[in-house]
Amino acid sequence: MRRTNTSQTIAGVLLFLLPVQFMIALMAGAAMAPGYSINLNAISDLGVTGATAWLFNSSLFFAGLLNVIGGYFLYRSYARGWILPVFVLAGAGAMGTAVFTLDIPGIHGLFALAAFVFFNVESIACASLVRGPLKAISIIAGVVGLVFLVTHAASDFGIISLYGPIGHGGSERMIVYPALLWLAGFGGYLMAPFGAKR
């Protein structure tokens, strides 16, 4: 059994809320945006569509902010030097992607790349903080996201078409969703109290 301290619990709450609120915003946005296709459209298309821009960009910025603050409390709990830089880089990537939307493609692309890379690195690195099945799940989630990042980039640059039947939008979601789902599980792990009844 594990003890939880206040910093760890706060980190758990914040890191659990991050993917929950963002995935709800993604689903609502995809349902609201006229003609939006999960297969064809990029996630960030929701940030430049009039009906959904406010929802998507505010949720994405909030996700980045939660990651930075959650990373701070995680660092306070575990005192590992790598934690804060990785969480800040991932969070800054998300916040920058929300501020510099898809209609500013160069800057937007750099921030999006940082978010894609560091949220998945975050997942792999945090395997060192957990025990049991979540250790393997952390690594698998991060590796899946990074593999899809490479294949997605290769397809975007026309090197080789690797989107497959899931299309551009589905490929991009395979970069993002494994890390988001892992964050929900990791947040729950951090919140789990010492001596919970069985």
Side-chain angles (χ1 to χ4, degrees):
M1 292 185 292
R2 300 179 301 110
R3 292 183 181 275
T4 60
N5 56 44
T6 302
S7 292
Q8 180 179 318
T9 302
I10 293 171
V13 171
L14 297 177
L15 296 177
F16 176 79
L17 290 176
L18 185 168
V20 170
Q21 65 87 26
F22 185 59
M23 292 186 78
I24 290 172
L26 281 181
M27 289 184 284
M32 291 164 57
Y36 187 84
S37 168
I38 292 175
N39 180 274
L40 299 175
N41 287 103
I43 292 173
S44 289
D45 284 337
L46 294 171
V48 291
T49 301
T52 58
W54 64 273
L55 173 66
F56 176 81
N57 292 322
S58 60
S59 178
L60 180 57
F61 188 90
F62 189 49
L65 185 62
L66 286 173
N67 203 66
V68 171
I69 300 171
Y72 167 73
F73 282 102
L74 191 66
Y75 169 73
R76 283 189 56 176
S77 179
Y78 285 88
R80 305 281 181 88
W82 57 266
I83 292 175
L84 197 54
V86 169
F87 276 74
V88 167
L89 286 168
M95 289 188 285
T97 304
V99 172
F100 300 100
T101 54
L102 196 58
D103 48 8
I104 312 172
I107 301 175
H108 175 86
L110 289 175
F111 277 109
L113 179 61
F116 288 159
V117 170
F118 285 103
F119 270 103
N120 285 295
V121 167
E122 193 176 284
S123 175
I124 295 169
C126 284
S128 64
L129 306 180
V130 299
R131 298 177 182 176
L134 190 58
K135 183 179 289 287
I137 291 169
S138 299
I139 296 169
I140 292 168
V143 168
V144 168
L146 290 174
V147 167
F148 271 92
L149 175 58
V150 172
T151 61
H152 187 80
S155 301
D156 268 0
F157 286 110
I159 298 170
I160 183 171
S161 181
L162 296 171
Y163 292 142
I166 63 175
H168 179 277
S171 173
E172 191 174 53
R173 281 165 174 76
M174 287 302 297
I175 301 169
V176 175
Y177 281 14
L180 290 177
L181 293 170
W182 165 78
L183 269 170
F186 183 54
Y189 177 92
L190 294 173
M191 288 187 286
F194 171 81
K197 292 183 179 178
R198 301 184 179 182

